[in-house]
Amino acid sequence: MEEFIIPYKLPEVENHSFFYINQRIDLSLEAKLHQHDAWELYFVVQGHGNRMAGDTLLPFSAGDVVLIPPSMIHKWEYDKHSADSNGYINYLMSAFSHSLVDKCIKTFPELRNRFSGINFPVEAIKFGPESSRFIRKALTDMNEMDELDRLCTMFRLLPVIFTATDYTFIGKPLRLEKDAVRMQQISAYVMAHYVHCISLDDIAHHVGMNRSAFCTYFKKQKGITFSHYLTQYRLDTACELLKNSQKLISEICYIVGFNDLPHFIRVFTHNLGVSPSKYRKLNKNI
């Protein structure tokens, strides 16, 4: 069944310049695929899962800090096993219009000087360790602040999030409606079925194309083959499980869609440069 993009309007906060929330919620109630006309600064406190941002589907984990540009379709789909003992996930989020940034630049020379010459991102970005530490602390501290202190903290946050250099791109905007729907369908299908075998005929049929046309289309859109994309998605998911769970490597192998442990280890080692067991030792979070 096709999932529709929901145009989402953030709650109006009377007499405030931006929206801030410390959201602890049953994961089944979290927003579906949606878009809104605001920058979204998002810090995952509790939970992990899969994030769709624009044309890209990637795993996420607790501690991630991400900036989603205005109007980009996105979705945070939490793994049900990553909720707390009450079945809740938790994130901190600040959303603000670009007009706020423009007004700050026009009004305050100190901010204008800091923003001089920068290009605002059109892709979603995930911040690196240094910027993430600053942003996590600022968003966490906001929870105990009054409205004026939150605004002052936002003044400190804006230059950091728009001039940071330690980040990676995690999603490009989908500009063409037809391609947006089709790539959305492909990503959603992979998210739902990657545990099982996905043949080219299966995915091509799902989006109403023949096998040959699908292969050509996907390579043009993503720059890689669908097989490469699927393998990379499975490996990314395996990495998150290695970092955030105590599951055996043999369990993870089958959970992410590989049906042969030696093959999984070979593919993982070839792509990541280390074996699954060594990757876990170097990156384990729990």
Side-chain angles (χ1 to χ4, degrees):
M1 181 177 179
E2 182 177 332
E3 184 177 8
F4 293 98
I5 303 169
I6 302 171
Y8 181 71
K9 187 173 178 61
L10 290 164
E12 293 288 346
V13 184
E14 187 178 358
N15 298 323
H16 288 75
S17 303
F18 62 95
F19 177 77
Y20 169 84
I21 190 169
N22 178 356
Q23 183 77 297
R24 183 172 176 270
I25 189 173
D26 187 308
L27 61 85
S28 66
L29 301 177
E30 178 55 4
K32 305 305 180 186
L33 193 68
H34 65 286
Q35 61 185 164
H36 47 68
D37 187 23
W39 293 96
E40 178 179 306
L41 184 62
Y42 193 104
F43 162 32
V44 183
V45 179
Q46 168 76 45
H48 62 262
N50 297 304
R51 175 192 59 248
M52 187 187 297
D55 69 347
T56 302
L57 176 66
L58 287 171
F60 69 86
S61 58
D64 282 5
V65 178
V66 165
L67 181 67
I68 306 287
S71 300
M72 176 175 281
I73 63 168
H74 58 287
K75 175 183 180 180
W76 299 82
E77 183 154 313
Y78 285 81
D79 185 319
K80 64 181 180 181
H81 300 298
S82 71
D84 64 18
S85 57
N86 294 311
Y88 287 80
I89 53 92
N90 181 211
Y91 60 87
L92 304 180
M93 190 264 281
S94 176
F96 53 94
S97 68
H98 196 74
S99 64
L100 171 65
V101 183
D102 286 338
K103 288 175 183 176
C104 287
I105 292 173
K106 291 176 182 177
T107 306
F108 303 106
E110 294 84 357
L111 284 174
R112 184 164 60 249
N113 293 339
R114 185 70 70 89
F115 280 100
S116 177
I118 73 161
N119 294 314
F120 292 99
V122 295
E123 299 184 32
I125 61 176
K126 176 183 173 183
F127 293 99
E130 184 176 349
S131 296
S132 289
R133 276 193 295 271
F134 182 91
I135 297 169
R136 285 195 295 261
K137 185 177 188 308
L139 290 176
T140 302
D141 290 347
M142 274 188 181
N143 197 47
E144 303 298 327
M145 292 178 178
D146 62 23
E147 57 186 19
L148 183 57
D149 284 338
R150 283 183 181 175
L151 179 61
C152 292
T153 300
M154 180 58 76
F155 286 160
R156 291 193 293 270
L157 266 175
L158 288 176
V160 173
I161 64 179
F162 287 123
T163 64
T165 56
D166 60 329
Y167 62 83
T168 54
F169 291 116
I170 56 168
K172 295 180 180 180
L174 288 163
R175 302 186 183 282
L176 301 177
E177 184 177 353
K178 183 178 179 180
D179 287 336
V181 172
R182 183 169 285 162
M183 292 305 296
Q184 173 196 334
Q185 286 179 302
I186 293 169
S187 295
Y189 189 88
V190 169
M191 185 184 289
H193 299 283
Y194 72 94
V195 174
H196 310 291
C197 176
I198 301 178
S199 71
L200 284 172
D201 289 330
D202 290 338
I203 187 65
H205 177 74
H206 180 70
V207 294
M209 304 174 76
N210 64 46
R211 177 176 174 148
S212 176
F214 172 80
C215 290
T216 301
Y217 171 81
F218 191 89
K219 182 71 179 289
K220 181 180 179 181
Q221 292 294 316
K222 299 293 288 184
I224 57 174
T225 66
F226 177 74
S227 177
H228 185 178
Y229 172 82
L230 179 59
T231 297
Q232 190 59 56
Y233 180 75
R234 286 169 168 161
L235 291 176
D236 288 342
T237 305
C239 287
E240 294 302 317
L241 289 170
L242 288 166
K243 289 189 293 185
N244 297 293
S245 79
Q246 298 179 347
K247 296 181 183 297
L248 298 175
I249 291 172
S250 57
E251 290 182 87
I252 292 173
C253 163
Y254 294 103
I255 287 172
V256 301
F258 287 86
N259 57 13
D260 179 78
L261 181 58
H263 176 63
F264 168 66
I265 293 173
R266 283 196 302 271
V267 173
F268 189 100
T269 304
H270 175 75
N271 283 270
L272 276 297
V274 294
S275 67
S277 58
K278 187 169 184 180
Y279 181 91
R280 169 169 271 172
K281 289 178 182 178
L282 295 171
N283 297 278
K284 195 161 180 62
N285 290 332
I286 62 173

